[in-house]
Amino acid sequence: MEIVWLGQGECQDCALVGGKGANLCHLAAAYRVPPAFCLTSSAFEQWRCQDADGAATFPPELAAPLATAYLRLGEVCGTPQPRVAVRSSARDEDGQLASFAGQHATYLNIVGVESVAAAILACWRSAQAPHAIEYRRHWGLSEEVAMAVLVQQLIPADVSAVVFSANPITGNREECLINASWGLGESLVGGNVTPDTYMVRKADLVIQQRQIADKVCMTVPAANGAREIAVPRWLRRQPALSEDQIVEMARLAIMLEATMGWPVDVECAYRHGELHLLQCRPITTGVRTTDDNQHHKPP
C-alpha cells in the first residue's frame, strides 16, 4: 500500500507511515488536524530500489496514484490546486527516544502535483543526508531508514507555536511551556527567531509567566514555497497570543498528554482565530515519563 489517508485505519501503523503520521492519525478524528495523505514506507522502498546510483526520479508507477490523491485533497480543501506542506515521517521519527527535529526535509506552500512529487523526492533523499545518518548513530538507531512522507493542507498561520505539556528545561510536569511567534512555524522551530514565552500552571490554567520577545523575523508563504521576512517594526514587540489563546493552547497540550499517555511536544497554529494541530510527539529531553506526578485534566 503506497498511499493512505490521515484518520483511516492503516495510517496508525508506524511502520507504514512513520512516527509523525501515526501520531497525527491517532488524533485526527478528535482534533482540528489539517487533512492529509501519506506516501508510505512501501513507496519509499519502491524508489530506493531504483536509486542504486543516487539519481532515481519519482517512480512512474506512483505518479497516477499521487495525482489522484492530490486531486482528492483539493476536493476536501475546496480548491483544485491545494497548497500543502510536505513533511518527512520516518519510522522512528517523533518517538520516545529521538524527535529527529530538523534532521529530515520539510517543504511548505507547495502547489501542483509535479511540485509535490519533487518535494516528496527531496524528503526521501534527506533520509541519507550525512547529518541525519550521524544523528541516527548518536542515538544508536539503525541506519536502515523506513521513510514515509506526509502531504498535508497548508495552514497559512497568523501565529505558530510549540507547546510542551511539561517544562522541558526544568522537568516540571505541573506546568505547560508555550513558545509563539508570527507566521509559519519554520522560523520558530528552526531557531531563527526569539519567540514569546508563556508559562501556564496545569492545575488551574493560570498564566504564571509571560516574556514578550523582539520577534525580528517570520516565515510567510511565497511563490510555490516559503520565505523569511522581517517582521514589521510595530508588530515585533506585540504579544503573539492573547490570554484566551494561551489558555486554549495549554488546554490542548493537557488533553493531548492524557490521550497519548506521555508528555507532549506540540506544534500548532492559529489562522483566523482557529487553532490547528500540526504535530504531536513525545518530549525527549528533561522530563520524566513515569507517573511520578499527578496528571491534571483541564478544568
Side-chain angles (χ1 to χ4, degrees):
M1 184 173 299
E2 289 79 24
I3 294 178
V4 297
W5 283 83
L6 208 65
Q8 297 184 358
E10 299 88 348
C11 201
Q12 295 201 31
D13 183 354
C14 187
L16 201 61
V17 302
K20 184 178 296 162
N23 289 346
L24 283 178
C25 184
H26 182 63
L27 300 168
Y31 297 89
R32 188 180 287 116
V33 176
F37 62 88
C38 193
L39 273 83
T40 68
S41 55
S42 297
F44 174 70
E45 287 301 323
Q46 286 187 35
W47 168 77
R48 188 159 62 173
C49 288
Q50 302 172 13
D51 194 40
D53 59 358
T57 57
F58 192 81
E61 63 271 22
L62 295 179
L66 175 63
T68 299
Y70 184 71
L71 179 64
R72 179 179 164 191
L73 184 63
E75 292 170 352
V76 173
C77 298
T79 175
Q81 295 277 294
R83 297 180 180 274
V84 298
V86 181
R87 302 179 186 272
S88 66
S89 181
R91 180 173 55 201
D92 38 14
E93 193 168 345
D94 289 359
Q96 293 282 353
L97 174 62
S99 69
F100 280 83
Q103 299 302 314
H104 299 141
T106 291
Y107 297 91
L108 301 178
N109 196 38
I110 304 301
V111 185
V113 69
E114 293 84 4
S115 296
V116 171
I120 292 167
L121 189 59
C123 284
W124 286 338
R125 287 175 174 160
S126 76
Q128 295 300 320
H131 62 83
I133 293 173
E134 181 56 35
Y135 185 89
R136 289 181 169 277
R137 289 173 180 160
H138 173 77
W139 288 104
L141 300 171
S142 170
E143 294 180 30
E144 286 296 313
V145 185
M147 173 71 79
V149 179
L150 194 67
V151 179
Q152 187 169 38
Q153 180 190 21
L154 180 79
I155 301 300
D158 302 314
V159 176
S160 294
V162 177
V163 189
F164 301 93
S165 69
N167 190 320
I169 300 168
T170 66
N172 188 348
R173 292 190 61 179
E174 302 303 310
E175 55 194 22
C176 291
L177 179 68
I178 302 171
N179 293 325
S181 193
W182 305 116
L184 300 173
E186 290 307 286
S187 294
L188 174 60
V189 300
N192 295 345
V193 63
T194 301
D196 293 350
T197 301
Y198 308 93
M199 193 77 69
V200 181
R201 189 166 58 210
K202 293 166 76 172
D204 53 12
L205 295 177
V206 168
I207 302 168
Q208 295 184 293
Q209 185 179 348
R210 309 169 200 248
Q211 294 179 352
I212 308 305
D214 184 7
K215 301 172 286 294
V216 298
C217 64
M218 63 181 180
T219 303
V220 298
N224 207 10
R227 64 190 179 103
E228 195 167 79
I229 64 170
V231 174
R233 186 166 295 274
W234 65 270
L235 192 59
R236 283 168 46 166
R237 291 188 175 272
Q238 293 295 316
L241 298 174
S242 69
E243 182 167 327
D244 287 346
Q245 289 173 331
I246 296 167
V247 170
E248 185 178 19
M249 284 190 172
R251 189 187 298 272
L252 173 64
I254 295 167
M255 293 171 65
L256 289 171
E257 181 181 276
T259 298
M260 303 303 286
W262 25 256
V264 294
D265 167 352
V266 178
E267 290 183 26
C268 51
Y270 274 105
R271 174 65 175 172
H272 295 157
E274 286 190 338
L275 181 59
H276 300 265
L277 173 61
L278 306 180
Q279 184 167 298
C280 178
R281 60 191 179 201
I283 299 175
T284 55
T285 58
V287 176
R288 294 182 300 271
T289 57
T290 54
D291 194 15
D292 51 5
N293 285 312
Q294 181 181 356
H295 288 234
H296 293 293
K297 294 183 179 179

